Each structure stands twice: as structure tokens, then as C-alpha cells.
Amino acid sequence: MASLDIENVKKQFGNVEVLRSISINIAHGEFLVLVGPSGCGKSTLLNLIAGLETISSGIIKIGEQNVTHIAPKDRDIAMVFQSYALYPSMNVRKNISFGLETRKIPKPEIEKQVAKVASMLQIEDLLDRRPAQLSGGQRQRVAMGRALARDPAIFLFDEPLSNLDAKLRVEMRTEIKLLHQKVGTTIVYVTHDQIEAMTLADRIAIMKDGVIEQFGTPKNIYESPASIFVAGFIGSPSMNFIPCEITEHDGNLKILLVAQGDEKCLVPVKGLSSSPEKLKGQKVILGIRPEQISAFNLSEKKNNNVFKLKCQVRLTEPTGPDTLVFTQINNQKTTCRIHPDKAALPGESMEMGFDISKAVLFDPKTQKRIY
Amino acid sequence: MNSEYFSNDYQKTPFMLFFRVAVYAVLIIAAIYFLIPLVIMIFTSVKTMNDIRTGNLISFPRQFSLEAWKSAWDTACIGVTCNGIKGYFWNSVKITVPAVSISTIIGAANGYVFSKWKFYGSEVFFSILLLGCFIPFQIILLPMAKMLGMAGLAQTLPGLVLVHIVYGLAFTTLFFRNFYVTIPQELVKAARIDGAGFFRIFFKIMLPVSIPIFVVSIIWQTTQIWNDFLFGVVFSSGDTQPITVALNNLVNTSTGVKKYNVDMAAAIIAALPTMAVYIVAGKYFLRGLTAGSVKG
């Protein structure tokens, strides 16, 4: 059993606070992804878990053991690095067995382990090569093999795919996920790529400026982002943020969407707890994902959540399965994901259906979600 | 290289042809200019004294003789002893070998610490050490003499070795530090997680990839120490002198006839080891100096 408990961890470099009071708990076997823009402290946090940097305050526990102040080698972890960090003077076999040899594991045992890992990752025929003779993808496999051979309590991955080309990255991503299903070891994985975070994670911690903006399952984070930052960071193309004002209409709170050409549409606001009087006139930001804006079709007329608005198309970007259509709503560039056959040409206008069942509202001042 | 630049069509224009010829002419003249002194030395060293007296400086030897070489090695008089320069040659070997190896090994360890195990103030330490590269020899002569005296090493070979080690450390540390900073820090992190400690990482991970910089350091230190005259003349005397000092004394010995052929032979002998080092390891030297990346 190796759960990971991070309690109130802080890290300072001189006067600079890199991590401010981070707390994360994951259970045994979970896949945690730390994601965020560069400089958010995610790699520092990983280094603290690994023990490669000293912690300023707080506690880190792996399983039942408090590892806050013990050396990396005694933490029962293995790490895969962005540059792979394969030992250049050793062949693949040596690279994989190095960690076992320093731990004085008997030779036959080591050989067995190397063979097992090599067959698991299909690198048997590379065992006698040097890192310089391997391709990027092969190095990546060897780096994972080195980590696997140790059979640790926790795997740490530090942006392992960012040095690979796009196609290989997708392949290796799948392999990492398969590997996790097969070995079931707890994994902490750092990336700046939100797609990797979404596809791999059981739990995502989105970090910004040394704090965790949101911690939750991928679905939870995608559907209920806690702030504009999270909503904008996760999902591609990014969520639309349309500035609006709350008005009262027929006794209900509504927000007004105005497209180019002065086409208008009133959208009801639900679920706001404060009193209507207080909210009236308040400025909010409507967050709506591109896939929630599609070509309006008549069958949706009865759907209470879909609202029609005629919009002018500024630009289209066909991606294949969908065409991204850009338009202006409330003077804000808005992306809509439209079926390719239904997308209008730039300059034309088309009827869009806004599905607000999953739309969210943010407070423009605090940037937090209010509904 | 842009192959078009060297294509035949391009060279066929009269201007380009002229340019080509001019380049080669300059190169050949420069090569001759630098080679002539060596050629004259070799010619003179294999001439007989008679030949030297009657011929001119750059004429071919009329009679080939290795007498002067034998004499320079075995019997030439330096001061009042007439045993040739062989003893001093071995003195230089006894100084150079330990001084080069020790300063290189310590430099490697220093560079490893300064690049991979930075501690509070390590940059300041490194800067101070670097100052050593800019201190002229002359400045440290008196304090060094005093220290050697206090240590009981004055006028001894170990004393001279110590001086060269201390003076060379600034350079070797710089070499190794600059080499090791190009090796990704992640390698050290990976090894630490793999359970390797300070020394294991040094010996198993860093040293095996350090051959180019070892060659640079060894060539640099060997030429510096072998060719040193000032420390040799100040910190040694009589039979502990290195070959450079002995050569000077040989040439300046004022008794008897001036044997140019012996002087030249002795000078070549004194220069041979450094030339040999360059010829054997010269390409590594260039490669090592420019070695930026160790791709792993």
C-alpha cells in the first residue's frame, strides 16, 4: 500500500515562496497529474516528493511512512525525467540494473528483473546498446524500464513526453496509461499539457503561482472549474468567457447575449443563491465551452436549455471532425464547435444553439466561479 | 558546409581561381615561416662542428652525425658537471607526471563539486579560485618560497611538484567545472534516486564521460609544467633542476667552444615530450576544448 499524503507543504528559495501550503492526498494506485503553466511550482513539488530538494515546512508521507526528511534513495520511489537522464556511459542493461546494483540486490535477481522489464516494454533487443544509439521513443522506454525495475511504491514522472514528437507523444501516453493499469502503482505525473492531464489522470491538481487552484477528477475539473484560470487551462479549444450583465426580466434573472448585427438573446440564470435584488446589474462572465455552442436544429426547440442566436461568422477553422467557427458575442471573440456540414462561410450568418445546461458563471473581480 | 561554395563551376571563374591560389600561397608561406626554425634546429643538430663552422646556417648537413645528440644527452657540461641533460630530463618527468596527474584528479573532483553539488557560497569559492588563472607567476614567488621553506620542501622535487599542483588547480578546476555543467543535472538526480552517493556518481556516471576533458587538462598541464622555467629556476637548484633550467645553463656555459649542434639537440630533446603529447592527443585537445554537449 502506498498512498501519498502531502500536508501543508511549503517551499522557499531565499525570499521567494515557490510553494505555499500545498495539501494533496491520493490513495494507493491512483494516478495524480500535477498540471500548470511553467513556473507554477509543479516540478518543485515533484522534487520535494522525490526528496531531491529540501522542504521548507510541512509533511510528506508515502504510505504510512513520514518521508519528509529522509534521503531520496530511502523513499522507495522511482523517477522518469524529461531528458530521460540515461547514464551515457552505460548500455541499456546497465542503465536498468544500476539502481538495483547500488541496492546490493543479488545478481540472479537483477538479471531476472531486467529481463522482465525488458519484455514488458519490448526493449529486449536494445539491451546492449548505449543511450546515444537509441531514438527518442526508445530512450523514453528505457527510462521507464529503469523506473519499473525497482518496483517502487510510487512512480514520479517529470514531463516525460515533452521531448517527443507529437505522434510518438500520443503513443507513449497510451502506453503509460496501459502500464499503470498493468502494474497498478501509484503515480505522480507532472506536465504542462492539459490533454495529458485529462487523458491520464485519476486526479488532477491544477497549480498556479505555487498554490493548487483546483484538485479533483478530470470530469469534475472539466465540468465544474473553480476559476477562470482552471476553465481556460483545461480544454482545447479553450472555454469562451463572455462578459455579461445580470438583468431582471419577467421576474426572472437573465443575461443578455448580443451578437454582431444586434441579434439578441436572453438566457436565464439559474442556481444563484443570493437575492435577486442584490444580483441585478452585477457584471458576470459567462463561461461556455465551444462544444456547447453548435448549429441550432429544430429538434432542440423543445429543449429548455438550448437558446438560439443568429451570429455572424468571422472565421472558420476546419479540424476534420469539427469546424471551429469564430464569432463575436458581447464584443468578445467566441469559438463554436460546429459539425463541418453545417458550418457557414465567413461573412455569412448562421443560427447557433447555446446549450447552457453546463455553462458556468464567474465573478470578474475574484475570477472565481459563482455558479 | 555549403557544397555549392566549393563546386567546380564556382572555382572556374578566373577571380575565384586567383583567390584560391592566393589563399594557398599565404598558407604555404606561413607554414614555411613557422617550420624553418625547427628545420634549422634539426639540421644543425645532426651536423658536425666542422660542418657548422664552414657551411652556412640553412645549408643541408654534408655529413650526418648523431654525435651531438649523444653528447647532449650523456656528456655535455652543465656548469661543472659533465653528464649531459639526461638527469634533468628525468627530473622534469618526475615533476611533470605527479604534478599533472594530481592536479588533474583534484581539478576533476573540484569541478564535479562546483557544478553538481553547489553549496552555499560555492559560486564565490569558484570565483576566488578562478582568480588563480590570472595571477602572474612572479607575484607568488616570494610567498611561495617562504611557504616551501617552512614546509621543509625548499629546493626539492616534491616542493616543485607542489607548486605546480597548486598553480595548476585553478585551470584544471575551470576545465572540469565548465565541462560538467554541460552534463544535465537530471543525471545526478536520477543517480541519487537510484541510490548512488557522492563518490559513486562521480566514479560511475561522471568520470566515464570525462575523457575529452581529461585529455585537455593533461595536455594543458603537461605543456605548462614541462615548459616552465621560472618556478624551476627559483624553487630548485643543482641536481633537482628541471630540463628547461638545465638547457639554459647548458647554452650559457661559457667555458670552451660553443657547440651549436649540442645546444640544438638538447633544445629538441627538451621540446620532444610536449610535441609528442600534441601529436598523439592533439585532435582530442581540439575536440575537448569545443566539447559542449554530451548527448545522453
Side-chain angles (χ1 to χ4, degrees):
Chain A
M1 284 295 282
S3 54
L4 175 67
D5 297 296
I6 299 171
E7 287 163 31
N8 282 319
V9 163
K10 291 180 187 168
K11 175 67 183 175
Q12 290 171 316
F13 291 111
N15 288 328
V16 187
E17 249 191 339
V18 185
L19 293 176
R20 321 173 196 189
S21 200
I22 302 278
S23 295
I24 297 175
N25 303 298
I26 55 170
H28 169 72
E30 280 194 310
F31 197 129
L32 167 68
V33 173
L34 305 174
V35 67
S38 48
C40 70
K42 56 191 190 298
S43 287
T44 308
L45 181 57
L46 194 74
N47 279 339
L48 290 182
I49 298 172
L52 294 168
E53 283 182 44
T54 52
I55 204 164
S56 299
S57 73
I59 293 173
I60 294 178
K61 277 191 198 165
I62 294 174
E64 292 303 305
Q65 193 190 8
N66 181 344
V67 298
T68 314
H69 297 293
I70 69 175
K73 65 182 167 72
D74 301 321
R75 293 192 179 198
D76 201 9
I77 49 165
M79 192 156 170
V80 177
F81 294 88
Q82 180 176 359
S83 69
Y84 318 131
L86 300 178
Y87 309 127
S89 60
M90 303 180 193
N91 63 20
V92 171
R93 189 190 308 278
K94 273 291 207 182
N95 261 287
I96 295 175
S97 64
F98 184 74
L100 303 172
E101 280 164 16
T102 53
R103 284 183 167 70
K104 308 224 157 45
I105 287 164
K107 260 228 158 96
E109 183 76 13
I110 292 179
E111 275 167 28
K112 222 172 78 187
Q113 197 67 9
V114 170
K116 191 181 119 195
V117 167
S119 84
M120 194 193 284
L121 292 167
Q122 296 161 357
I123 50 174
E124 289 111 322
D125 27 337
L126 305 178
L127 283 177
D128 294 316
R129 293 210 204 154
R130 298 219 168 182
Q133 298 166 302
L134 302 177
S135 70
Q138 289 169 332
R139 286 180 202 180
Q140 176 66 59
R141 275 168 203 277
V142 175
M144 290 205 296
R146 191 169 64 182
L148 276 171
R150 294 254 321 283
D151 196 16
I154 293 188
F155 284 119
L156 307 175
F157 286 84
D158 189 2
E159 308 212 11
L161 304 182
S162 45
N163 281 1
L164 299 175
D165 63 62
K167 187 163 176 283
L168 206 50
R169 198 178 307 161
V170 175
E171 279 175 34
M172 291 309 289
R173 197 172 73 200
T174 321
E175 281 202 37
I176 291 177
K177 193 156 194 180
L178 275 174
L179 205 66
H180 179 239
Q181 282 179 3
K182 213 186 289 176
V183 295
T185 310
T186 313
I187 291 181
V188 182
Y189 186 106
V190 164
T191 181
H192 60 261
D193 181 352
Q194 55 92 15
I195 295 181
E196 271 174 39
M198 288 296 288
T199 49
L200 289 171
D202 292 321
R203 295 194 186 270
I204 299 179
I206 298 187
M207 298 180 64
K208 186 194 175 195
D209 299 335
V211 291
I212 291 182
E213 285 272 318
Q214 193 171 0
F215 177 63
T217 62
K219 185 174 156 65
N220 172 251
I221 282 179
Y222 190 77
E223 291 180 353
S224 323
S227 65
I228 290 186
F229 171 76
V230 173
F233 193 82
I234 296 288
S236 172
S238 170
M239 183 185 259
N240 297 302
F241 300 107
I242 304 171
C244 308
E245 196 179 304
I246 295 182
T247 54
E248 198 180 350
H249 202 266
D250 299 341
N252 290 320
L253 290 179
K254 298 207 169 179
I255 53 177
L256 182 65
L257 299 180
V258 184
Q260 267 177 320
D262 225 23
E263 291 281 340
K264 285 177 191 159
C265 160
L266 272 174
V267 176
V269 181
K270 302 172 302 177
L272 286 176
S273 50
S274 334
S275 63
E277 291 307 314
K278 218 173 145 192
L279 283 166
K280 219 162 73 175
Q282 195 192 327
K283 296 213 181 321
V284 292
I285 289 175
L286 173 72
I288 184 161
R289 295 205 179 268
E291 65 266 26
Q292 286 150 11
I293 312 175
S294 49
F296 185 79
N297 70 45
L298 289 171
S299 67
E300 284 174 330
K301 220 171 182 177
K302 287 184 195 122
N303 187 338
N304 284 336
N305 286 323
V306 179
F307 293 84
K308 186 173 75 172
L309 180 62
K310 199 171 188 190
C311 304
Q312 277 195 339
V313 177
R314 295 277 302 272
L315 187 75
T316 60
E317 281 183 354
T319 63
D322 305 296
T323 296
L324 301 177
V325 171
F326 298 93
T327 180
Q328 294 281 116
I329 291 172
N330 292 8
N331 277 325
Q332 173 70 39
K333 186 179 126 190
T334 305
T335 316
C336 322
R337 185 174 258 173
I338 310 287
H339 191 278
D341 296 341
K342 299 201 173 136
L345 295 172
E348 295 175 358
S349 56
M350 65 178 287
E351 286 185 334
M352 305 279 194
F354 286 70
D355 182 352
I356 58 146
S357 59
K358 285 180 177 170
V360 287
L361 290 179
F362 298 98
D363 183 330
K365 285 199 199 90
T366 62
Q367 307 268 303
K368 300 287 178 212
R369 191 159 69 102
I370 46 183
Y371 166 65
Chain B
M1 280 281 158
N2 188 350
S3 61
E4 206 176 305
Y5 191 84
F6 293 102
S7 76
N8 288 332
D9 287 350
Y10 205 54
Q11 281 186 10
K12 269 176 193 156
T13 69
F15 177 74
M16 282 314 292
L17 192 65
F18 170 77
F19 188 69
R20 251 332 67 178
V21 172
V23 165
Y24 277 107
V26 169
L27 288 176
I28 289 167
I29 291 169
I32 291 172
Y33 182 79
F34 284 110
L35 276 176
I36 276 184
L38 181 64
V39 172
I40 291 175
M41 280 177 76
I42 294 170
F43 282 180
T44 311
S45 73
V46 295
K47 287 175 183 174
T48 60
M49 273 314 286
N50 204 21
D51 201 347
I52 293 171
R53 262 187 235 107
T54 54
N56 73 30
L57 193 62
I58 53 171
S59 62
F60 275 92
R62 270 168 290 181
Q63 222 182 336
F64 182 83
S65 150
L66 286 177
E67 263 321 298
W69 285 73
K70 271 185 215 143
S71 162
W73 182 251
D74 237 1
T75 60
C77 294
I78 292 155
V80 288
T81 52
C82 291
N83 292 326
I85 57 167
K86 60 175 187 289
Y88 305 99
F89 184 91
W90 293 121
N91 277 351
S92 273
V93 172
K94 280 182 224 160
I95 293 163
T96 306
V97 171
V100 168
S101 14
I102 294 173
S103 62
T104 299
I105 289 166
I106 298 179
N110 279 354
Y112 171 56
V113 171
F114 280 128
S115 59
K116 294 287 171 253
W117 296 86
K118 290 189 180 157
F119 49 91
Y120 185 76
S122 65
E123 291 297 311
V124 178
F125 253 97
F126 182 60
S127 312
I128 294 172
L129 198 65
L130 274 195
L131 277 182
C133 298
F134 303 105
I135 295 176
F137 281 31
Q138 292 81 350
I139 289 180
I140 65 163
L141 288 181
L142 283 175
M144 188 61 91
K146 179 85 181 158
M147 279 174 60
L148 287 178
M150 277 155 54
L153 292 170
Q155 315 293 329
T156 63
L157 283 182
L160 206 45
V161 169
L162 180 70
V163 174
H164 282 300
I165 291 173
V166 171
Y167 204 87
L169 271 182
F171 292 93
T172 55
T173 302
L174 176 70
F175 289 150
F176 279 95
R177 186 262 185 193
N178 284 357
F179 182 77
Y180 286 144
V181 290
T182 65
I183 294 177
Q185 186 72 26
E186 287 191 341
L187 273 182
V188 176
K189 289 186 182 177
R192 281 174 67 196
I193 289 177
D194 267 347
F198 180 87
F199 288 105
R200 204 181 174 90
I201 295 174
F202 184 51
F203 288 112
K204 294 271 180 171
I205 316 279
M206 306 303 271
L207 281 191
V209 296
S210 311
I211 292 161
I213 203 64
F214 263 98
V215 173
V216 169
S217 178
I218 287 170
I219 291 184
W220 177 268
Q221 282 297 87
T222 306
T223 38
Q224 288 294 310
I225 295 170
W226 186 274
N227 290 341
D228 163 69
F229 180 76
L230 188 60
F231 288 157
V233 84
V234 174
F235 299 127
S236 68
S237 66
D239 48 358
T240 62
Q241 284 171 338
I243 192 162
T244 44
V245 178
L247 179 64
N248 175 66
N249 295 348
L250 169 75
V251 176
N252 287 337
T253 298
S254 48
T255 50
V257 192
K258 194 131 196 77
K259 292 176 178 157
Y260 291 105
N261 52 358
V262 175
D263 291 354
M264 294 298 178
I268 296 172
I269 292 172
L272 270 182
T274 44
M275 279 168 64
V277 167
Y278 264 108
I279 290 164
V280 171
K283 66 175 179 183
Y284 291 101
F285 187 65
L286 274 183
R287 212 182 288 165
L289 276 184
T290 54
S293 58
V294 175
K295 285 188 179 162

